[in-house]
Amino acid sequence: LDLPLFDSKAIGRANLNASGRGTHYSTSGTVWAWKIGGTWTTPLDGIRLRAVTSRDVRAPNLSELFAAPTVTTLPNFTDPFRNVAVQAFQNTVGNPNLKPEIARNTELGIVLSRPSWLPGLSLSFDYYNINLKGVVSTLSAQQIVNFCFSGNQAFCGGFVLNSPVQGGNFINVQPFNLASWKTSGFDIEASYQWKRPLGLPGNFTVRALGTHV
């Protein structure tokens, strides 16, 4: 949807745009993504304001969901419950119960584009803020055991370290939606264009980009 809001010499021109998408995954169900943004070309010569906020998703890939098991021998694995070193097998496998990662992304910007007093100049400054949750990530075998030892019962069902059977010790390692990630910063862009420099055909443009995270 692209909706014009107003257009006049006194207050400039503005529009609102929005979009949405619903996706159904056979493993994790339905998830929605959307975006709402707008631009305002102000009556000030060459100055435009813009803003956008969105909900973005990334579904787990086939490897994260259905990776075939691989087994690694851990000959001196530390068992914190008994404070001894044991031999165990690390079973690395996919996780079909993963959910899509979900991010909220917001950007605000101001642009100076080809003003009448310097028509070759373009400048922009954009602030961004990204908050990502449910990031698919994998803990090490030692981290899984240590979390259980420290009292997190969610990690206690995926390993055995005191099996009475020879070779029965194991730790299952698989990806989970267990991480989060937040960042913010700003992007700066500047360019200047000369038409037919030194009488030569074509244009010549100098451009610079910078970002701060």
Side-chain angles (χ1 to χ4, degrees):
L1 175 69
D2 192 1
L3 176 68
L5 299 179
F6 53 81
D7 186 357
S8 74
K9 291 183 178 180
I11 58 176
R13 183 176 70 254
N15 76 299
L16 180 70
N17 57 78
S19 62
R21 182 183 69 207
T23 309
H24 182 78
Y25 298 103
S26 60
T27 57
S28 55
T30 302
V31 63
W32 293 92
W34 51 262
K35 182 194 78 167
I36 300 175
T39 60
W40 176 27
T41 303
T42 71
L44 301 176
D45 188 12
I47 294 181
R48 184 172 75 253
L49 303 178
R50 57 192 181 191
V52 63
T53 185
S54 62
R55 184 180 194 258
D56 309 299
V57 302
R58 185 194 77 88
N61 59 42
L62 289 175
S63 177
E64 293 165 336
L65 290 166
F66 305 116
T70 60
V71 180
T72 306
T73 302
L74 306 175
N76 293 292
F77 185 84
T78 301
D79 178 0
F81 296 92
R82 296 177 293 160
N83 196 27
V84 296
V86 299
Q87 178 174 302
F89 294 103
Q90 175 180 302
N91 302 318
T92 304
V93 65
N95 183 359
N97 296 316
L98 291 174
K99 305 297 183 182
E101 301 172 343
I102 297 177
R104 183 66 183 274
N105 181 17
T106 301
E107 297 183 40
L108 304 170
I110 182 170
V111 180
L112 175 63
S113 179
R114 303 184 181 279
S116 59
W117 45 270
L118 201 59
L121 178 66
S122 293
L123 300 171
S124 68
F125 180 95
D126 292 281
Y127 167 80
Y128 63 85
N129 184 283
I130 303 171
N131 186 359
L132 177 60
K133 297 181 178 180
V135 180
V136 176
S137 186
T138 303
L139 297 174
S140 69
Q142 193 68 64
Q143 287 175 314
I144 291 172
V145 174
N146 288 347
F147 274 130
C148 175
F149 178 70
S150 63
N152 193 328
Q153 296 299 311
F155 295 95
C156 293
F159 65 88
V160 171
L161 296 178
N162 59 349
S163 174
V165 180
Q166 181 69 24
N169 293 338
F170 69 89
I171 306 102
N172 291 331
V173 174
Q174 59 184 163
F176 291 94
N177 295 96
L178 56 83
S180 62
W181 184 77
K182 296 178 71 175
T183 189
S184 62
F186 52 83
D187 294 321
I188 302 174
E189 180 176 348
S191 67
Y192 194 87
Q193 184 181 83
W194 290 267
K195 293 186 176 181
R196 298 185 62 83
L198 302 177
L200 299 173
N203 302 323
F204 181 76
T205 303
V206 175
R207 186 172 181 230
L209 304 172
T211 188
H212 179 272
V213 181

Tab-separated table of all heavy atoms in Angstrom, residues 4 20 22 47 93 102 111-113 129 136 147 168 184 204:
chain	number	residue	atom	x	y	z
A	4	PRO	N	-0.685	8.537	-0.608
A	4	PRO	CA	-0.288	9.942	-0.531
A	4	PRO	C	-1.062	10.644	0.588
A	4	PRO	O	-2.279	10.477	0.723
A	4	PRO	CB	-0.655	10.491	-1.913
A	4	PRO	CG	-1.728	9.582	-2.415
A	4	PRO	CD	-1.446	8.233	-1.826
A	20	GLY	N	2.623	-6.142	4.252
A	20	GLY	CA	2.563	-7.250	5.195
A	20	GLY	C	2.696	-8.574	4.465
A	20	GLY	O	2.396	-8.672	3.276
A	22	GLY	N	2.245	-12.912	5.315
A	22	GLY	CA	2.030	-14.057	6.190
A	22	GLY	C	2.614	-15.307	5.554
A	22	GLY	O	2.378	-15.564	4.371
A	47	ILE	N	15.416	19.162	1.114
A	47	ILE	CA	15.419	18.398	2.369
A	47	ILE	C	14.228	17.439	2.409
A	47	ILE	O	13.083	17.833	2.191
A	47	ILE	CB	15.390	19.325	3.587
A	47	ILE	CG1	16.697	20.128	3.647
A	47	ILE	CG2	15.212	18.521	4.875
A	47	ILE	CD1	16.787	21.060	4.823
A	93	VAL	N	22.997	-32.797	16.361
A	93	VAL	CA	21.830	-33.137	15.546
A	93	VAL	C	20.981	-31.876	15.344
A	93	VAL	O	21.094	-30.909	16.109
A	93	VAL	CB	21.006	-34.253	16.233
A	93	VAL	CG1	20.415	-33.769	17.540
A	93	VAL	CG2	19.924	-34.801	15.308
A	102	ILE	N	12.866	-13.499	14.978
A	102	ILE	CA	12.030	-12.316	14.764
A	102	ILE	C	12.805	-11.065	15.159
A	102	ILE	O	13.384	-10.999	16.245
A	102	ILE	CB	10.722	-12.411	15.564
A	102	ILE	CG1	9.898	-13.605	15.077
A	102	ILE	CG2	9.911	-11.123	15.446
A	102	ILE	CD1	8.611	-13.829	15.845
A	111	VAL	N	17.592	13.658	4.530
A	111	VAL	CA	18.316	13.668	3.264
A	111	VAL	C	18.343	15.095	2.715
A	111	VAL	O	17.325	15.805	2.748
A	111	VAL	CB	17.639	12.741	2.232
A	111	VAL	CG1	18.397	12.766	0.905
A	111	VAL	CG2	17.525	11.316	2.769
A	112	LEU	N	19.502	15.496	2.246
A	112	LEU	CA	19.637	16.727	1.464
A	112	LEU	C	20.010	16.300	0.056
A	112	LEU	O	21.106	15.793	-0.181
A	112	LEU	CB	20.712	17.638	2.055
A	112	LEU	CG	21.035	18.907	1.250
A	112	LEU	CD1	19.821	19.816	1.166
A	112	LEU	CD2	22.218	19.651	1.847
A	113	SER	N	19.092	16.495	-0.893
A	113	SER	CA	19.286	15.956	-2.232
A	113	SER	C	19.189	17.053	-3.284
A	113	SER	O	18.119	17.635	-3.495
A	113	SER	CB	18.236	14.867	-2.517
A	113	SER	OG	18.381	14.346	-3.806
A	129	ASN	N	17.976	1.150	14.618
A	129	ASN	CA	17.918	0.373	15.857
A	129	ASN	C	17.341	-0.993	15.522
A	129	ASN	O	16.238	-1.079	14.977
A	129	ASN	CB	17.061	1.080	16.906
A	129	ASN	CG	17.057	0.346	18.240
A	129	ASN	OD1	16.390	-0.663	18.400
A	129	ASN	ND2	17.792	0.871	19.190
A	136	VAL	N	18.719	-18.405	16.421
A	136	VAL	CA	19.103	-19.818	16.418
A	136	VAL	C	20.592	-19.917	16.719
A	136	VAL	O	21.424	-19.365	15.996
A	136	VAL	CB	18.780	-20.469	15.065
A	136	VAL	CG1	19.274	-21.916	15.027
A	136	VAL	CG2	17.280	-20.414	14.796
A	147	PHE	N	24.932	-25.454	32.611
A	147	PHE	CA	23.663	-24.789	32.871
A	147	PHE	C	22.759	-25.661	33.727
A	147	PHE	O	22.077	-25.181	34.627
A	147	PHE	CB	22.970	-24.441	31.549
A	147	PHE	CG	23.407	-23.133	30.956
A	147	PHE	CD1	23.803	-23.050	29.630
A	147	PHE	CD2	23.422	-21.975	31.718
A	147	PHE	CE1	24.203	-21.850	29.081
A	147	PHE	CE2	23.827	-20.764	31.180
A	147	PHE	CZ	24.218	-20.699	29.850
A	168	GLY	N	28.045	-45.517	27.557
A	168	GLY	CA	26.675	-45.006	27.602
A	168	GLY	C	26.558	-43.525	27.900
A	168	GLY	O	25.456	-42.967	27.857
A	184	SER	N	22.524	-0.636	17.446
A	184	SER	CA	22.021	0.632	16.945
A	184	SER	C	23.205	1.446	16.446
A	184	SER	O	24.359	1.155	16.762
A	184	SER	CB	21.268	1.407	18.030
A	184	SER	OG	22.145	1.721	19.108
A	204	PHE	N	30.824	12.727	-13.621
A	204	PHE	CA	31.844	12.249	-12.694
A	204	PHE	C	31.303	12.428	-11.280
A	204	PHE	O	30.899	13.535	-10.896
A	204	PHE	CB	33.146	13.037	-12.860
A	204	PHE	CG	34.240	12.580	-11.942
A	204	PHE	CD1	34.942	11.407	-12.187
A	204	PHE	CD2	34.561	13.312	-10.812
A	204	PHE	CE1	35.945	10.986	-11.332
A	204	PHE	CE2	35.570	12.894	-9.944
A	204	PHE	CZ	36.259	11.738	-10.214
